[in-house]
């Protein structure tokens, strides 16, 4: 986080001569210059004059107006110097901040860099004008794409929707877990998710609250900003309570529901009991048979029912009333990384184990469907842990077929290695599952510190390859290095990384299996497992993965949200 240095000469020290005063001024000027040079070295933000931006936007002409939000008007422009197309946000004057305060905030925003965030290109603080210049994102908002799809564009299919959810989760996870101090989005909604030409989601409008009008003013917070996002705001926020990262998770859940249902978060054209999406969905959450009825009819039933069940389960967890019961966005992201690979014909055969950090994720799932609670714990072993190390040298081949063959061969080799390492045979997983099934289910204990979610499904390698390019992100890579999340699987990684796999035949359906585990174990795991031995998909590869985690630190955000970092 940047702060402009304070330049103050001690008030009690009076210069005895004008020479001394001059000297001081020169020194002060030099220091200021060198500090400013340092600042600009650390940021790539460009400083624009008002005239440059006026030229870029044809003098802020109406035809360049993209829209108007809570912070001011946004214009499309073209920078004369580079030809870059940009979105210029002219902040409302009544929210004006001092130059220094503005620059401090803007410089910290300029530090944020993630493929799923709209990039701040530069700013202008000229006289009383305050403007922010962003990359222009050409595909429109998620809201527009869902509600008013362009005539020349196919409606977004199920997989695309899950990919958008996954990308948005990655952007949010970056803000929550990778930025220090964490950035609470505050206003996540479908109209703040922009899509590029490839439908890759980019979050915009983050971190602006300190620049907006009425900062710190509760009245303001309860008026336009919250009213404007009604339907997305977490209940604790609309009640005027504390904002935490879990409030963002709630909003994310609403967006996920919009993707699933094609409905708006708030739609006053609908009958009273259907106007608020979450209120409408709540009773359906309790009745999985009704899940297919909530899906956007435009999809014409082209989705995997198992993928749908999982997506609805995640959404229902996110929109829980109680903030602490909502999952961490990193857990949501991990779960969505798999759903985003699903196809309408079936879902992944891969079965890596994924660790969830936040117990609320698994507790919420068990509430969601008590049938998903499984009796015995799965414990990650040292062998499992070591087998998750990434293979940095794995190659990326443009020829999809070649890659698939290569990966499959390697998986077979690794499989035989893993088997010989731990002395287990290829049937051990099946036997383990049978053991679990033979035990009576235990009720979920909310005080239980360790519960596991078992998510079973399948995918084809081809799907993975198709998705890899789009889904890759710095955030995921950082998580491998820095270990701030413990994802057992990241879609942008080469699948050669996956450690313990076996080839199996699959039944073409998926379910979530929520397992209660040891009360003394604080860690939780998600198991993406293959379902059973039946089926006829000879070519599919089934993967099984365990990843354990070690907590290396935790800190609190300014709103009191405790964020944990884990290392795998
Ligand atoms: N970087 C950008 N590229 C393309 N269009 C953008 C960009 N940023 C904003 N817009 C568009 O400008 C319009 C106004 O955006 P803005 O974010 O100010 O308001 P909003 O999202 O409509 O409302 P709110 O302030 O309540 O979030 C929207 O239609 C938005 O899609």
């Amino acid at each position: 986080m940047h702060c402009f240095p304070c330049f103050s000469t001690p008030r009690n020290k009076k210069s005895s001569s004008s020479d001394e005063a001059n000297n001081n001024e020169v020194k002060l000027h030099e220091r200021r210059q060198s500090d400013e040079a340092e600042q600009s070295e650390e940021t790539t933000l460009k400083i624009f004059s008002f005239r440059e931006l006026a030229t870029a936007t044809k003098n802020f002409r109406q035809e360049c107006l993209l829209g108007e939000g809570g912070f001011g008007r946004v214009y499309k422009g073209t920078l004369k110097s580079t030809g870059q197309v940009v979105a210029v946000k002219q902040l409302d004057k009544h929210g004006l901040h001092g130059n220094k305060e503005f620059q401090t905030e803007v410089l910290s925003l300029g530090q944020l860099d993630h493929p799923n965030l709209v990039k701040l290109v530069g700013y202008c603080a000229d006289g009383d004008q305050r403007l922010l210049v962003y990359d222009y994102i050409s595909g429109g908002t998620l809201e527009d794409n869902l509600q008013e799809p362009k005539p020349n564009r196919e409606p977004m299919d199920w997989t695309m929707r899950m990919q958008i959810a996954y990308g948005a989760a990655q952007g949010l996870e970056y803000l929550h877990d990778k930025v220090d101090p964490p950035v609470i989005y505050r206003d996540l909604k479908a109209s703040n998710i922009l899509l590029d030409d490839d439908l890759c989601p980019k979050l915009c409008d983050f971190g602006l609250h300190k620049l907006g009008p009425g900062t710190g003013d509760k009245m303001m917070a309860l008026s336009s900003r919250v009213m404007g996002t009604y339907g997305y705001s977490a209940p604790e926020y609309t009640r005027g309570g504390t904002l935490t990262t879990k409030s963002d998770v709630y909003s994310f859940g609403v967006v996920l529901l919009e993707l699933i249902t094609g409905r708006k978060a708030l739609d006053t054209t609908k009958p009273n009991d259907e106007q608020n999406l979450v209120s409408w969905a709540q009773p359906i959450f309790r009745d999985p048979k009704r899940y297919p009825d909530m899906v956007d009819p435009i999809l014409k039933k082209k989705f995997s029912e198992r993928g749908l069940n999982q997506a609805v389960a995640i959404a229902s967890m996110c929109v829980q009333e109680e903030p602490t019961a909502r999952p961490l966005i990193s857990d949501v992201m991990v779960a969505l990384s798999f759903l985003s690979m699903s196809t309408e014909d079936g879902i992944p055969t891969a079965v890596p184990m994924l660790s969830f950090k936040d117990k609320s994720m698994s507790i919420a799932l068990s509430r969601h469907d008590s049938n998903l609670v499984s009796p015995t714990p799965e414990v990650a072993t040292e062998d499992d842990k070591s087998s998750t190390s990434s293979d940095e040298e794995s190659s990326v081949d443009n020829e999809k077929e070649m890659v698939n063959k290569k990966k499959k061969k390697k998986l077979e080799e690794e499989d035989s290695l893993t088997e010989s390492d731990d002395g287990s045979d290829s049937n051990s997983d099946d036997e383990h599952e049978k053991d679990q099934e033979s035990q009576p289910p235990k009720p979920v204990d909310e005080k239980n510190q360790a519960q596991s979610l078992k998510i079973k499904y399948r995918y084809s390698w081809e799907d993975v390859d198709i998705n890899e390019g789009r889904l890759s992100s710095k955030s995921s890579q950082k998580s491998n290095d820095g270990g701030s999340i413990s994802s057992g699987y990241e879609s942008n990684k080469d699948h050669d990384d996956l450690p313990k796999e076996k080839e199996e035949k699959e039944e073409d359906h998926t379910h979530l299996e929520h397992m209660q585990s040891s009360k003394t174990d604080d860690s939780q795991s998600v198991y993406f497992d293959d379902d059973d031995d039946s089926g006829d998909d000879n070519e599919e590869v089934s993967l099984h993965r365990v990843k354990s985690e070690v907590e290396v630190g935790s800190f609190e955000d300014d709103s009191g949200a405790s964020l944990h970092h884990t290392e795998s």
Side-chain angles (χ1 to χ4, degrees), residues 305-405:
E305 204 170 307
R306 299 172 76 192
L308 168 67
N309 290 344
Q310 293 177 18
V312 174
I314 295 166
S316 72
M317 286 179 240
C318 293
V319 297
Q320 289 182 103
E321 174 88 16
E322 179 55 48
T324 54
R326 294 173 208 146
L328 290 169
I329 195 64
S330 54
D331 289 345
V332 172
M333 185 189 82
V334 166
L336 285 171
S337 71
F338 276 81
L339 294 194
S340 65
M341 288 173 215
S342 62
T343 67
E344 65 194 55
D345 304 312
I347 46 180
T349 50
V351 285
M353 287 211 185
L354 304 169
S355 293
F356 281 146
K357 184 62 198 150
D358 187 348
K359 68 180 177 188
S360 66
M361 177 85 159
S362 46
I363 290 172
L365 268 169
S366 64
R367 276 210 199 104
H368 174 74
D369 186 349
S370 59
N371 293 329
L372 300 177
V373 178
S374 176
T376 51
E378 292 244 1
V379 180
T381 65
E382 270 314 297
D383 281 352
D384 293 325
K385 194 176 161 187
S386 61
S387 68
T388 59
S389 63
S390 66
D391 179 359
E392 297 296 336
E393 289 163 16
S394 54
S395 62
V396 178
D397 195 323
N398 289 333
E399 297 295 319
K400 232 190 294 170
E401 214 177 314
M402 288 291 286
V403 173
N404 288 339
K405 278 183 189 159

Side-chain angles (χ1 to χ4, degrees), residues 66 69-70 74 87 89 135-137 141 187 189 192 194 205 225:
L66 289 169
V74 182
K89 183 170 289 216
D135 275 343
Y136 175 75
I137 310 298
T141 67
D187 199 16
K189 53 184 176 179
N192 273 344
L194 301 177
D205 260 7
R225 297 304 297 159

Side-chain angles (χ1 to χ4, degrees), residues 526-544:
V526 170
Y527 304 82
F528 285 88
D529 202 351
D530 47 307
D531 197 28
D532 62 31
D533 292 333
S534 62
D536 55 5
D537 303 303
N538 297 326
E539 288 307 301
E540 288 162 2
V541 180
S542 167
L543 306 165
H544 196 94

